[in-house]
């Protein structure tokens, strides 16, 4: 992942750690730090008549979500699939019949080729750009929440997790 691609993903992950990004009372996603970053990427893509920035944010954030899922699962003595199953059960207990979109993305990456999550995001973008932006924000929120859980429950400093993610994203980008 080139620096031009890598930096915005890490910036989004850092913004996802801001408590303001987890507000549920925001009238618009643009009120959230993560929302402002995604909106800026969308505007820049529109100006360039492309979707490169959003595509790279989606791919990088999906990879971070996959890595964080694997880490949380390992710390809980579970497989990533078991953790995702537990998340599905919790969602159903709260009245959601469908798996959460974040769970769908991470599960698709686990069960298919590594870029399957990006493919799912791409199909979402083609179907409904608003849903795509919402899913990108949900992925960022999931990553931020996961990093905070690692810190609070497992005493892993946020900066260590961010550095691990940065290293993993750099390695992934170098292979892509």
């Amino acid at each position: 992942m080139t620096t031009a691609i890598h930096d915005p993903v890490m910036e989004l992950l850092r913004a996802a750690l801001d408590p303001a990004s987890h507000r549920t009372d925001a009238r618009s996603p643009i009120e959230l730090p993560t929302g402002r970053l995604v909106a800026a990427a969308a505007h820049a893509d529109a100006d360039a008549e492309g979707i490169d920035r959003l595509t790279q944010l989606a791919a990088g954030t999906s990879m971070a979500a996959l890595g964080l899922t694997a880490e949380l699962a390992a710390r809980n003595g579970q497989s990533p699939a078991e953790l995702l199953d537990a998340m599905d059960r919790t969602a159903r207990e709260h009245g959601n019949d469908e798996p959460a979109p974040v769970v769908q993305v991470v599960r698709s990456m686990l069960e298919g080729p590594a870029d399957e999550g990006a493919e799912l995001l791409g199909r979402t973008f083609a179907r409904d750009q608003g849903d795509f932006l919402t899913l990108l924000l949900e992925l960022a929120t999931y990553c931020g929440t996961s990093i905070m859980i690692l810190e609070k429950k497992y005493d892993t400093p946020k900066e260590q997790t961010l550095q691990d993610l940065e290293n993993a994203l750099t390695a992934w980008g170098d292979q892509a």
Side-chain angles (χ1 to χ4, degrees), residues 23 42 93 97 112 135:
R23 288 182 39 215
E93 290 169 3
D97 293 332
L135 179 52

Side-chain angles (χ1 to χ4, degrees), residues 4 11 26-27 29 37 56 67 72 76 80-81 86 100 103 120 124 142 148 151 157-158 164-166 174:
E11 186 177 6
R27 290 172 293 167
L37 289 172
Q56 294 302 327
L72 284 171
N76 285 323
V103 172
L120 178 60
T124 302
Y142 173 79
M148 289 186 273
E151 181 176 55
K158 286 185 276 200
D164 291 345
L165 286 169
E166 186 171 7
D174 289 345

Side-chain angles (χ1 to χ4, degrees), residues 17-170:
L17 294 171
D18 185 330
S21 287
H22 298 264
R23 288 182 39 215
T24 57
D25 64 340
R27 290 172 293 167
S28 167
I30 201 80
E31 293 181 18
L32 308 174
T34 50
R36 286 191 291 277
L37 289 172
V38 170
H43 288 293
D45 276 351
D47 290 345
E49 298 181 9
I51 59 167
D52 292 345
R53 289 167 188 84
L54 288 174
T55 300
Q56 294 302 327
L57 274 178
T61 307
S62 296
M63 290 303 293
L66 176 64
L68 288 163
T69 299
E71 184 64 24
L72 284 171
R75 300 278 183 105
N76 285 323
Q78 301 173 296
S79 71
E82 290 170 328
L83 178 62
L84 294 172
D85 289 344
M87 291 171 68
D88 276 343
R89 279 191 304 280
T90 301
R92 278 193 299 279
E93 290 169 3
H94 289 95
N96 298 324
D97 293 332
E98 294 291 318
V102 169
V103 172
Q104 291 176 11
V105 170
V106 175
R107 191 179 303 279
S108 70
M109 295 171 72
L110 283 171
E111 295 172 354
D115 62 350
E116 185 63 30
E119 292 289 325
L120 178 60
L121 284 160
R123 289 190 299 273
T124 302
F125 183 85
R127 186 183 71 247
D128 186 314
Q129 293 175 5
D131 286 350
F132 171 82
L133 295 174
T134 298
L135 179 52
L136 183 51
L137 288 172
E138 288 173 0
L139 280 164
T141 299
Y142 173 79
C143 288
T145 300
S146 297
I147 293 167
M148 289 186 273
I149 289 169
L150 286 168
E151 181 176 55
K152 290 182 194 295
K153 187 173 180 182
Y154 300 105
D155 296 323
T156 304
K158 286 185 276 200
E159 288 305 318
Q160 179 183 336
T161 302
L162 287 167
Q163 185 61 56
D164 291 345
L165 286 169
E166 186 171 7
N167 293 341
L169 288 170
T170 299

